[in-house]
Amino acid sequence: MTARAAKTDPGRFFEDFAVGQVIDHATPRTVTEGDRALYGAIYPTRFAIPSSAEFAASVGLVPHPVEELVGFHVAFGKTVPDVSLNAVANLGYAECRFHAPVVPGDTLRTRSEVIGLKQNSNGRTGVVWVRSTATNQRGEVVVDWARWVMVHKRSADAPAPETVVPALADVVRPEDLVVPAGLDLTSYDVAAAGGAHLFDDYEVGERIDHVDGVSLTDAEHMMATRLWQNTAKVHFSTDARPDGRRLVYGGHVISLARALSFNGLANAQLVAAINAGAHVAPAFAGDTVYAWSEVLDKATVDAPGVGALRLRLVATRGRDESMTLRGEDGKHADGVLLDLDHWVFIAR
Amino acid sequence: MTARAAKTDPGRFFEDFAVGQVIDHATPRTVTEGDRALYGAIYPTRFAIPSSAEFAASVGLVPHPVEELVGFHVAFGKTVPDVSLNAVANLGYAECRFHAPVVPGDTLRTRSEVIGLKQNSNGRTGVVWVRSTATNQRGEVVVDWARWVMVHKRSADAPAPETVVPALADVVRPEDLVVPAGLDLTSYDVAAAGGAHLFDDYEVGERIDHVDGVSLTDAEHMMATRLWQNTAKVHFSTDARPDGRRLVYGGHVISLARALSFNGLANAQLVAAINAGAHVAPAFAGDTVYAWSEVLDKATVDAPGVGALRLRLVATRGRDESMTLRGEDGKHADGVLLDLDHWVFIAR
Amino acid sequence: MTARAAKTDPGRFFEDFAVGQVIDHATPRTVTEGDRALYGAIYPTRFAIPSSAEFAASVGLVPHPVEELVGFHVAFGKTVPDVSLNAVANLGYAECRFHAPVVPGDTLRTRSEVIGLKQNSNGRTGVVWVRSTATNQRGEVVVDWARWVMVHKRSADAPAPETVVPALADVVRPEDLVVPAGLDLTSYDVAAAGGAHLFDDYEVGERIDHVDGVSLTDAEHMMATRLWQNTAKVHFSTDARPDGRRLVYGGHVISLARALSFNGLANAQLVAAINAGAHVAPAFAGDTVYAWSEVLDKATVDAPGVGALRLRLVATRGRDESMTLRGEDGKHADGVLLDLDHWVFIAR
């Protein structure tokens, strides 16, 4: 019975990371039409490209891609056992770019490199920065991103590593956005897409209330989170937190908010990049989630009929018609769950 | 921020409809094997044709069709944002015919024409009749139907339109039922199909108690309803009704009752038409749903080994062994959720 | 209305079985990629072969097989309406062997033969032994097993049949395990598989605590059970038991425990056989399920890079770090839900 601890994966602690370390994450995962269907059962998504193979083909995308966030969640899930199983908090994302569409049949793998370390002054935790890259079965990069997490030390006595804080961009530059090969929105079918508003109709500073709310259930967020092979036990077990509640995976709120944003941003067909993301407050079953967006920037991209919008997507517990991000104390307003700064491609 | 209301779809109000108006609904949707699997996870269906590609091929159906109701729900879901987002009530269905099987890979679109309008005497609501037609990527009609809904007026001051009440048939005539091309039930495998009773074994007036009950959960009905891209918020948000309960999509009860009807009608393999349907009472999580059927009519059809039964399928909250549709006051008996008059194709 | 009872399947009672009787179960069922996705949404499985088509191909398995338990559950579900609809208890399994991988597109059928009967001394129930065999559309055996169930008699007055108790092996002999054609684990990618421990690292008698817990929900176990077309009403209806709780299908606990066993047994890629299985206590929504394994035996098999482990997989309600199977009274310890003796194939 001595071998027992050794055979179960305890996850890495802060002192198990070193700058430059490369981790090949288990388990490669093939994406299928089953994933598309489950994504549509769990999130109220209606974007025409992932919904319709015919529509996708009409804009140059063959075979039929799944939502970018499907690829992100699958790729991200792989990193959890190695990077964040002992995480105290998921602190941030940066420089996330979608490089190539994911289509059913693609097998994704993820590799991470440790790019930064900083022990906290309490000596019991530290921040780990990793850059993760997901590739498909042809070795093409599908999505990559940086994130940083606060991780427990195994032992408070372990010496602090040299502090390395990586330089990460506040925002992905428009010229670095990758338009999917072949994408052509010049003969885009606005009626089929379900929204009348195109690139030129949006103004920087404009806010859009996505109006609709969805109440969370434990069964749904667990199914979604499992689908991505994310193993963090706080999502699945009522034993994992003192309050007996299962914490909703932050990515579940991202996907839900993105799906809700269809109502007002129906032509924002593709997620191009994530500049920054904060899970401001935890979400639980019973919460009713709403979303609003703010247009932060606009950019032209080198592809026919395609523009880019930089959006802040905010998810809230309960509807916030005031669309206020900051509360009186300068912190996030009550009820804000998610603050996601990202780029989308939209028809012009 | 002035553009905000304009970018979110408020749905049509009564005065936004005009007889003869044609609406091309967003979003085309490709049906996949993932939909078949989810349908089987959410409803206790066991009909051999949609369950088994091999069985379907043995009766002439290649490629492997999904349940007719999958096509119906997908096609119906498309109409919700344009027709019934501001509906007070879904009043009825008529003349629904299934024209061609839906197979994985098919992309469905729906177009509706307004065929009737009648303002209510209260001046605040009106009834809208639409005929909706779903087509696949080859332009073939898959399913069409008429339905009528009561819709709010935006303004009580808006003038009443000319009243047009369309003539709709009480029942689809047997000679108008469309047998799927190639269907041949002459060498039908009764043992594999799971029921001994064929066309000749059913008598008009006979009632069949389907015996089994299923208790509803919020997670399941929300997943089903989302799968059809039905966006009506009463199904998803505890904020949408004063009682905080999420209303179960009426189509969820139809599919559940149809699946339960396998026990007693296992050879009623295909739904051919819906003559009329009433969602008599709302259903909620926690309800245990049962079903019974009455044989209303029988007809021969021009296809080898195929007969047609006209059935009343009744779903109830709690089991009603008396199989009583009408209560003492002449209205539907307590506990009746659904009263669905439809045609099925059955092996003879 | 007299025909009503006759048209609904009442299931077989004890006196409806006879030794030698063969039952061809309805309904054949085609397995799809949708099933794989749902399996991954419902169970936290991460075994590399079913997760990745690319990984499966790298070890010789093309096309991409689903988990063995998918095939088992589908095949088993078919037997429920004919064998165990009136069962008092599912008493045991034996001699279950997996003969060929199941891949999307395969259509499974199940046939059972009654191999034993023994009326209980109370005269009201009896034990029925059946051997069930599932075949694919090419007639190849996919999985077969023996099980025995206690079934109600329709009438206590019916005479007792001759007692026949079949001789069933306590354990499938290693030389009878069937290695999937083409399986070659000699160039196995340990990093991709997600676990460092191979055949030689496990010792007989060793126990492995799989650490993680999953809390059950009604929506999830009902969806899983329905996916296998298992119709036993105790799983679906709050009316079926006096306590109003829906009993979790025993196979749900098997799949959950098997998935949890990845953490410690990541290279135990394939289930080869089930020697014995006991559903020691019922499971319900709200229970948090944990698992531990004991290595019972090791064997070499005639395939490159492949070894076999005989494992006891124990699922518990609440975590049992003592990994104790037997309580002080010699019976199963409190909290034990499942005790499953099985063989797995593992990389050496």
Side-chain angles (χ1 to χ4, degrees):
Chain A
M1 306 215 352
T2 51
R4 132 194 191 183
K7 288 212 171 71
T8 303
D9 179 15
R12 278 179 179 75
F13 290 87
F14 182 67
E15 51 266 61
D16 299 324
F17 294 95
V19 171
Q21 183 181 9
V22 171
I23 305 167
D24 282 306
H25 305 291
T27 311
R29 163 85 153 68
T30 304
V31 172
T32 73
E33 287 294 353
D35 296 309
R36 189 198 307 277
L38 270 157
Y39 198 84
I42 294 171
Y43 306 109
T45 179
R46 290 186 285 151
F47 293 101
I49 288 176
S51 177
S52 166
E54 188 192 22
F55 189 96
S58 77
V59 297
L61 300 181
V62 177
H64 188 195
V66 297
E67 308 238 349
E68 295 72 42
L69 291 174
V70 170
F72 177 77
H73 292 313
V74 167
F76 181 92
K78 317 248 129 298
T79 70
V80 169
D82 295 315
V83 173
S84 50
L85 208 62
N86 300 305
V88 185
N90 204 353
L91 297 175
Y93 307 96
E95 299 184 3
C96 172
R97 289 194 300 158
F98 294 90
H99 294 259
V102 174
V103 301
D106 279 356
T107 298
L108 304 188
R109 294 172 173 253
T110 310
R111 166 180 286 192
S112 296
E113 181 179 350
V114 179
I115 57 171
L117 286 175
K118 180 171 183 294
Q119 181 167 314
N120 287 328
S121 53
N122 63 23
R124 289 178 291 104
T125 57
V127 178
V128 180
W129 282 260
V130 294
R131 185 178 301 280
S132 300
T133 304
T135 50
N136 64 21
Q137 69 282 5
R138 291 181 299 276
E140 300 160 351
V141 174
V142 164
V143 55
D144 63 353
W145 68 94
R147 75 161 165 144
W148 51 108
V149 293
M150 192 187 302
V151 178
H152 283 293
K153 291 181 69 176
R154 184 181 289 106
S155 161
D157 299 333
E162 184 186 357
T163 294
V164 176
V165 176
L168 294 170
D170 289 337
V171 57
V172 175
R173 295 181 309 171
E175 56 268 37
D176 292 335
L177 300 177
V178 185
V179 179
L183 183 68
D184 179 345
L185 301 181
T186 49
S187 54
Y188 184 84
D189 182 343
V190 169
H197 308 289
L198 300 174
F199 179 76
D200 290 334
D201 299 316
Y202 293 91
E203 290 172 36
V204 173
E206 179 179 351
R207 295 185 186 196
I208 303 148
D209 180 353
H210 301 304
V211 176
D212 304 308
V214 169
S215 303
L216 302 178
T217 70
D218 277 318
E220 289 170 299
H221 80 75
M222 289 198 293
M223 290 181 71
T225 308
R226 244 182 242 121
L227 196 62
W228 320 128
Q229 298 178 315
N230 180 328
T231 58
K233 63 190 68 171
V234 289
H235 307 316
F236 299 106
S237 170
T238 56
D239 293 349
R241 289 168 50 96
D243 65 4
R245 297 200 291 178
R246 281 161 273 192
L247 181 70
V248 171
Y249 161 51
H252 189 65
V253 178
I254 294 176
S255 279
L256 179 51
R258 162 75 179 155
L260 289 171
S261 78
F262 178 90
N263 196 351
L265 284 162
N267 295 312
Q269 290 280 349
L270 300 160
V271 178
I274 297 174
N275 301 307
H279 298 293
V280 178
F284 300 100
D287 290 348
T288 300
V289 178
Y290 294 79
W292 57 268
S293 293
E294 178 182 357
V295 181
L296 297 177
D297 200 0
K298 300 179 68 173
T300 53
V301 294
D302 184 22
V306 183
L309 295 181
R310 182 179 166 202
L311 300 171
R312 161 171 282 151
L313 176 61
V314 177
T316 57
R317 179 187 298 114
R319 186 169 171 201
D320 174 20
E321 293 187 64
S322 73
M323 298 188 281
T324 308
L325 192 64
R326 297 290 165 186
E328 292 188 4
D329 59 357
K331 296 187 179 176
H332 278 95
D334 278 355
V336 172
L337 300 173
L338 170 76
D339 179 8
L340 188 80
D341 178 344
H342 65 299
W343 285 103
V344 295
F345 291 129
I346 186 167
R348 5 190 355 148
Chain B
M1 306 214 356
T2 51
R4 134 195 190 184
K7 289 213 171 73
T8 303
D9 180 14
R12 278 179 179 74
F13 291 87
F14 183 67
E15 51 267 62
D16 299 322
F17 293 96
V19 172
Q21 182 181 11
V22 172
I23 305 168
D24 282 306
H25 304 292
T27 311
R29 163 84 153 69
T30 303
V31 173
T32 73
E33 287 294 352
D35 295 309
R36 189 198 309 278
L38 270 157
Y39 198 85
I42 294 171
Y43 306 109
T45 180
R46 290 186 286 151
F47 294 100
I49 289 177
S51 177
S52 167
E54 188 192 22
F55 190 96
S58 77
V59 297
L61 299 182
V62 178
H64 188 195
V66 297
E67 308 238 352
E68 294 72 42
L69 290 175
V70 170
F72 177 77
H73 292 312
V74 168
F76 182 92
K78 318 247 129 299
T79 71
V80 168
D82 296 315
V83 173
S84 49
L85 208 63
N86 299 305
V88 185
N90 203 354
L91 297 174
Y93 306 96
E95 300 185 1
C96 172
R97 290 194 299 159
F98 295 90
H99 294 259
V102 174
V103 301
D106 279 357
T107 298
L108 305 189
R109 295 173 173 252
T110 310
R111 166 180 287 191
S112 296
E113 181 179 351
V114 179
I115 58 171
L117 286 175
K118 181 171 182 294
Q119 182 166 311
N120 286 328
S121 55
N122 62 24
R124 290 178 289 107
T125 57
V127 179
V128 179
W129 282 260
V130 294
R131 184 178 302 281
S132 300
T133 304
T135 50
N136 64 21
Q137 69 282 7
R138 290 181 299 277
E140 300 160 352
V141 174
V142 164
V143 55
D144 63 353
W145 69 94
R147 76 161 165 145
W148 52 107
V149 293
M150 192 187 302
V151 177
H152 283 293
K153 290 180 69 177
R154 185 181 290 106
S155 160
D157 299 333
E162 184 186 357
T163 294
V164 176
V165 176
L168 294 170
D170 289 337
V171 58
V172 175
R173 296 181 309 172
E175 56 267 37
D176 293 335
L177 300 176
V178 185
V179 180
L183 184 69
D184 180 345
L185 301 181
T186 49
S187 53
Y188 184 83
D189 182 344
V190 170
H197 308 289
L198 302 173
F199 180 76
D200 290 336
D201 299 317
Y202 292 90
E203 290 172 36
V204 173
E206 178 180 350
R207 295 185 187 195
I208 302 146
D209 180 354
H210 301 305
V211 176
D212 305 309
V214 170
S215 303
L216 303 177
T217 69
D218 277 318
E220 289 170 299
H221 79 75
M222 289 198 293
M223 289 181 72
T225 307
R226 245 182 241 121
L227 196 61
W228 320 127
Q229 299 178 315
N230 180 328
T231 57
K233 63 190 69 167
V234 289
H235 306 317
F236 299 107
S237 170
T238 56
D239 292 348
R241 290 168 49 97
D243 66 4
R245 298 199 291 178
R246 281 162 273 192
L247 180 70
V248 172
Y249 162 50
H252 188 66
V253 178
I254 293 177
S255 279
L256 179 51
R258 162 74 180 155
L260 290 170
S261 78
F262 179 89
N263 196 350
L265 283 162
N267 295 313
Q269 291 279 350
L270 300 159
V271 178
I274 297 174
N275 301 308
H279 298 293
V280 177
F284 299 100
D287 290 348
T288 301
V289 177
Y290 294 78
W292 56 269
S293 293
E294 178 182 357
V295 180
L296 297 176
D297 200 0
K298 301 179 66 172
T300 53
V301 294
D302 184 22
V306 184
L309 295 181
R310 182 180 165 200
L311 299 171
R312 161 170 283 151
L313 176 62
V314 177
T316 57
R317 178 186 300 113
R319 187 169 171 201
D320 174 19
E321 294 188 64
S322 73
M323 297 188 282
T324 308
L325 192 64
R326 297 289 164 187
E328 292 187 3
D329 58 358
K331 296 186 180 176
H332 279 95
D334 278 355
V336 172
L337 300 174
L338 170 75
D339 179 7
L340 188 79
D341 178 344
H342 65 299
W343 284 103
V344 296
F345 291 128
I346 186 167
R348 348 186 18 137
Chain C
M1 302 205 8
T2 51
R4 134 193 189 185
K7 290 211 171 74
T8 303
D9 179 14
R12 279 179 179 74
F13 290 87
F14 183 66
E15 51 268 60
D16 298 324
F17 293 95
V19 172
Q21 182 182 10
V22 171
I23 305 167
D24 283 306
H25 304 293
T27 311
R29 163 84 152 69
T30 303
V31 172
T32 73
E33 287 294 352
D35 296 309
R36 190 199 307 278
L38 270 158
Y39 197 85
I42 293 171
Y43 306 110
T45 180
R46 289 187 286 151
F47 294 101
I49 289 176
S51 177
S52 168
E54 188 192 21
F55 189 97
S58 78
V59 298
L61 300 181
V62 177
H64 188 196
V66 296
E67 308 237 350
E68 295 73 42
L69 290 174
V70 170
F72 177 77
H73 292 313
V74 168
F76 181 92
K78 316 247 131 297
T79 71
V80 168
D82 296 314
V83 173
S84 48
L85 208 62
N86 299 305
V88 185
N90 203 355
L91 297 174
Y93 307 96
E95 299 185 2
C96 172
R97 288 194 300 158
F98 294 89
H99 294 259
V102 174
V103 301
D106 279 357
T107 298
L108 304 188
R109 295 172 172 255
T110 310
R111 166 179 288 191
S112 296
E113 181 179 351
V114 179
I115 58 171
L117 286 175
K118 182 170 181 295
Q119 180 167 314
N120 287 328
S121 54
N122 62 23
R124 290 178 290 106
T125 56
V127 178
V128 180
W129 283 259
V130 294
R131 185 178 301 279
S132 300
T133 304
T135 50
N136 63 21
Q137 69 282 6
R138 292 180 299 276
E140 300 159 353
V141 174
V142 164
V143 55
D144 63 353
W145 69 93
R147 76 162 166 145
W148 51 108
V149 293
M150 192 186 303
V151 177
H152 283 292
K153 291 181 69 177
R154 185 181 289 107
S155 161
D157 300 334
E162 184 186 357
T163 293
V164 177
V165 175
L168 294 169
D170 289 337
V171 57
V172 175
R173 296 181 308 171
E175 56 267 38
D176 293 335
L177 300 176
V178 185
V179 179
L183 184 68
D184 180 345
L185 301 182
T186 48
S187 54
Y188 184 84
D189 182 343
V190 170
H197 308 288
L198 301 173
F199 179 76
D200 290 336
D201 299 316
Y202 293 91
E203 289 172 35
V204 173
E206 179 180 351
R207 295 185 186 195
I208 302 146
D209 180 354
H210 301 305
V211 177
D212 305 308
V214 170
S215 303
L216 302 177
T217 69
D218 277 318
E220 290 169 299
H221 80 76
M222 289 198 292
M223 289 181 72
T225 307
R226 243 181 244 121
L227 197 61
W228 321 127
Q229 299 178 315
N230 180 328
T231 57
K233 63 191 68 169
V234 288
H235 306 317
F236 300 107
S237 170
T238 56
D239 292 349
R241 290 169 49 97
D243 65 4
R245 296 200 291 177
R246 281 161 273 192
L247 181 70
V248 172
Y249 162 50
H252 189 66
V253 178
I254 293 177
S255 279
L256 179 51
R258 162 75 179 153
L260 290 171
S261 77
F262 178 90
N263 196 350
L265 283 162
N267 295 312
Q269 291 279 351
L270 301 160
V271 178
I274 296 173
N275 300 308
H279 298 294
V280 178
F284 300 100
D287 291 349
T288 301
V289 177
Y290 294 80
W292 57 268
S293 292
E294 178 182 357
V295 181
L296 297 176
D297 200 0
K298 299 179 68 174
T300 54
V301 293
D302 185 21
V306 184
L309 295 181
R310 183 180 165 201
L311 299 170
R312 162 171 282 151
L313 176 61
V314 177
T316 58
R317 180 187 299 114
R319 187 169 170 200
D320 174 19
E321 292 188 64
S322 73
M323 298 188 281
T324 308
L325 192 63
R326 298 289 165 188
E328 293 187 3
D329 60 356
K331 296 187 180 176
H332 278 95
D334 278 354
V336 172
L337 300 174
L338 170 75
D339 179 8
L340 188 80
D341 178 345
H342 65 298
W343 285 104
V344 295
F345 291 129
I346 186 167
R348 347 185 19 138

